[in-house]
Amino acid sequence: MLKKRIIPCLDIRDGRTVKGVQFINLRDAGDAVELARAYAQQGADELVFLDITATVEQRSALIHLVEKVAAAIHIPFTVGGGINSVADASALIQAGADKVSINSAALKNPPLIRELANTFGSQCIVLAIDARRETDGWRVYVHGGRTPTSRSALDWAKEAEQLGAGEILLTSMNHDGAKTGFALDLIREIAAAVQIPVIASGGAGQLVHFEEIFTHTQASAALAAGIFHFGEISIPEVKQFLKNRQIPVR
Amino acid sequence: MIAIVKYNAGNIRSVENALQRLGQDCLITDIPEQILRADKVIFPGVGEAGSAMAHLRERGLDQLICTLAQPVLGICLGLQLLCRHSEESNTPCLGIFDAQVRRFPPLDKVPHVGWDNFSHCSGPLFMGVHPSEDVYYVHSYYADLCPHTVAVCDYILPFSAALQRDNFFGVQFHPEKSADTGEKILQNFLAL
């Protein structure tokens, strides 16, 4: 049986993790490679690295980091942030990333999704959607959540699937960091409307939130950052909790 | 020396990384003499069947692969190209395994992405591997069950998770991305 995936997300700047992390037995909490290795050992099913830098110099630091991570861990990982072209994606995939995640550039230029899917295969292309609940529904935001677009999350998800996206990483901006649980209505609606897997993101704060997302929606995976980095909840705890509730996990 | 067949299929690096973690020297190459001389050959790949087969044919690698006598391991698209035919771009393949490659019917999420176990697994690749162990898959096409099937995964329908015919092996999952279980399977191949 296909397992539900638990995915820690690491924010990267200049080749290092940004948020301070409180992780057992780590000499340098900011070292992304060491953190990746620790998560892989703990049973993380995949990792996501989000680069929050922009300059060319820092970009080469990211490529170098991807090479080191690819050599160090034996589980799949996705890299996102600042990917604007096939060349950007190619540099990361050549360095060893299994998948790339695109966001703002795809909204500005939707055919980029098709171009990437045709070049690398759909399985490599994760479309990240940042959505905020407004009076008329869930609206897509870009540029790290700073800029609203005219698109509804549902329409954009369906279009991205048609264009060849292989997975959707769906974040509720309302829930992100709030630790009050995932946006069940948003995730439920979109995961039911598309055939590709949906990774739920934003809002994980307690073990029960992981149970909710997998019992109330068709999400294939759940992503979280802070609770794992700060040691509030560990990956083995999440896995055991879900196992006890007959939710299939590795 | 292990030869990793170089062709237009992405993420060959991850196989190289996995072998290096196991302390195994390897060479990514499309030079026929180097492939023929290797102790073992890995035929990796993610990508599209039609363009991959065209690329292999242009370089004469299609015929070369079929003549190899040492252990050969096809991974993911590599497994599919070792089958008879793929529905993807209606592509005639190498015909080592007597299986047809088809697209999953849209009865659940496609692609099949993530960790999945076996309903059955046997043979030298799976020494010390229990069917309940999970490996990592990412694919939209699958190989039918056939007399060469040595491991079965059940997603939407039962399909060939692994195939074996004589010295040819194929796995639909990615052992190089399948944590400890994947390393065990790669080590079993290296020990052949």
Side-chain angles (χ1 to χ4, degrees):
Chain A
M1 179 180 269
L2 184 64
K3 307 304 183 291
K4 298 295 186 181
R5 287 172 281 156
I6 304 297
I7 306 177
C9 177
L10 290 81
D11 285 345
I12 303 295
R13 181 188 289 155
D14 209 6
R16 296 172 61 80
T17 49
V18 174
K19 288 175 187 162
V21 285
Q22 297 169 0
F23 224 71
I24 307 153
N25 297 330
L26 276 191
R27 288 191 302 277
D28 176 358
D31 184 334
V33 178
E34 220 169 319
L35 195 54
R37 197 182 276 127
Y39 279 132
Q41 278 165 1
Q42 285 197 348
D45 295 308
E46 284 185 49
L47 299 176
V48 170
F49 294 88
L50 211 50
D51 183 42
I52 56 173
T53 58
T55 69
V56 174
E57 300 78 53
Q58 289 167 328
R59 204 70 194 167
S60 66
L62 177 70
I63 301 286
H64 189 54
L65 171 70
V66 169
E67 286 174 344
K68 286 194 291 184
V69 169
I73 65 170
H74 53 12
I75 60 170
F77 69 101
T78 301
V79 182
I83 296 168
N84 287 302
S85 65
V86 168
D88 289 343
S90 183
L92 294 167
I93 290 167
Q94 293 303 316
D98 297 287
K99 310 178 195 179
V100 291
S101 153
I102 49 169
N103 190 336
S104 308
L107 270 148
K108 197 172 152 198
N109 173 27
L112 177 63
I113 298 174
R114 173 162 289 146
E115 214 183 325
L116 289 167
N118 288 344
T119 309
F120 306 108
S122 288
Q123 82 290 333
C124 271
I125 312 305
V126 180
L127 178 78
I129 300 178
D130 293 335
R132 182 190 289 275
R133 195 204 308 267
E134 296 184 349
T135 47
D136 56 346
W138 288 91
R139 182 185 296 274
V140 180
Y141 276 66
V142 290
H143 304 127
R146 291 189 299 276
T147 314
T149 71
S150 61
R151 305 296 305 259
S152 88
L154 179 63
D155 290 347
W156 177 227
K158 287 202 238 179
E159 184 182 338
E161 176 180 36
Q162 290 307 314
L163 288 167
E167 281 180 279
I168 290 175
L169 167 53
L170 182 55
T171 302
S172 160
M173 294 165 56
N174 303 69
H175 295 69
D176 200 28
K179 299 188 181 177
T180 52
F182 293 93
L184 297 177
D185 58 337
L186 171 72
I187 310 283
R188 184 188 301 119
E189 182 184 32
I190 292 184
V194 297
Q195 226 206 326
I196 54 179
V198 171
I199 302 164
S201 160
Q206 299 168 28
L207 289 169
V208 71
H209 296 153
F210 290 94
E211 180 186 13
E212 286 167 2
I213 193 66
F214 293 131
T215 51
H216 295 305
T217 80
Q218 296 176 48
S220 299
L223 178 142
I227 55 160
F228 293 141
H229 301 331
F230 295 109
E232 292 165 31
I233 293 177
S234 74
I235 290 171
E237 277 176 318
V238 175
K239 296 285 188 86
Q240 192 56 51
F241 184 86
L242 293 176
K243 225 172 253 182
N244 292 345
R245 280 152 186 79
Q246 276 73 52
I247 294 169
V249 288
R250 181 167 71 99
Chain B
M1 178 63 74
I2 310 293
I4 300 173
V5 179
K6 178 177 164 187
Y7 66 118
N8 61 335
N11 218 355
I12 286 174
R13 272 285 286 284
S14 65
V15 176
E16 183 187 24
N17 279 327
L19 293 180
Q20 282 170 353
R21 280 194 295 269
L22 295 172
Q24 178 68 55
D25 285 337
C26 57
L27 183 66
I28 299 177
T29 178
D30 58 359
I31 299 170
E33 295 72 43
Q34 289 182 333
I35 295 172
L36 281 167
R37 248 198 343 257
D39 300 318
K40 297 188 176 68
V41 176
I42 293 183
F43 183 38
V46 288
E48 194 270 325
S51 60
M53 272 308 297
H55 184 98
L56 292 174
R57 259 188 232 106
E58 276 166 32
R59 285 155 184 76
L61 292 174
D62 55 334
Q63 293 183 1
L64 177 84
I65 289 168
C66 292
T67 62
L68 293 174
Q70 64 271 59
V72 178
L73 176 64
I75 297 176
C76 194
L77 181 63
L79 168 144
Q80 297 183 3
L81 297 182
L82 290 171
C83 292
R84 201 172 56 225
H85 179 270
S86 174
E87 267 182 16
E88 192 175 22
S89 311
N90 188 23
T91 306
C93 298
L94 298 172
I96 300 286
F97 303 128
D98 190 22
Q100 166 75 23
V101 177
R102 305 176 200 275
R103 192 176 165 87
F104 278 117
L107 303 173
D108 202 337
K109 297 285 180 193
V110 178
H112 176 221
V113 181
W115 298 80
D116 213 331
N117 59 303
F118 305 97
S119 39
H120 156 84
C121 63
S122 61
L125 277 191
F126 297 96
M127 286 258 293
V129 177
H130 192 269
S132 65
E133 291 182 45
D134 291 301
V135 288
Y136 185 80
Y137 290 87
V138 50
H139 60 129
S140 300
Y141 291 80
Y142 68 93
D144 270 349
L145 299 184
C146 75
H148 300 128
T149 302
V150 292
V152 178
C153 176
D154 199 343
Y155 181 74
I156 297 181
L157 41 76
F159 67 88
S160 291
L163 293 152
Q164 184 195 347
R165 180 179 168 191
D166 305 325
N167 58 315
F168 286 92
F169 299 79
V171 291
Q172 180 60 62
F173 53 88
H174 287 273
E176 76 280 13
K177 288 286 166 184
S178 293
D180 297 345
T181 299
E183 283 189 351
K184 208 160 27 177
I185 292 165
L186 280 177
Q187 261 165 338
N188 285 339
F189 175 72
L190 296 175
L192 286 171

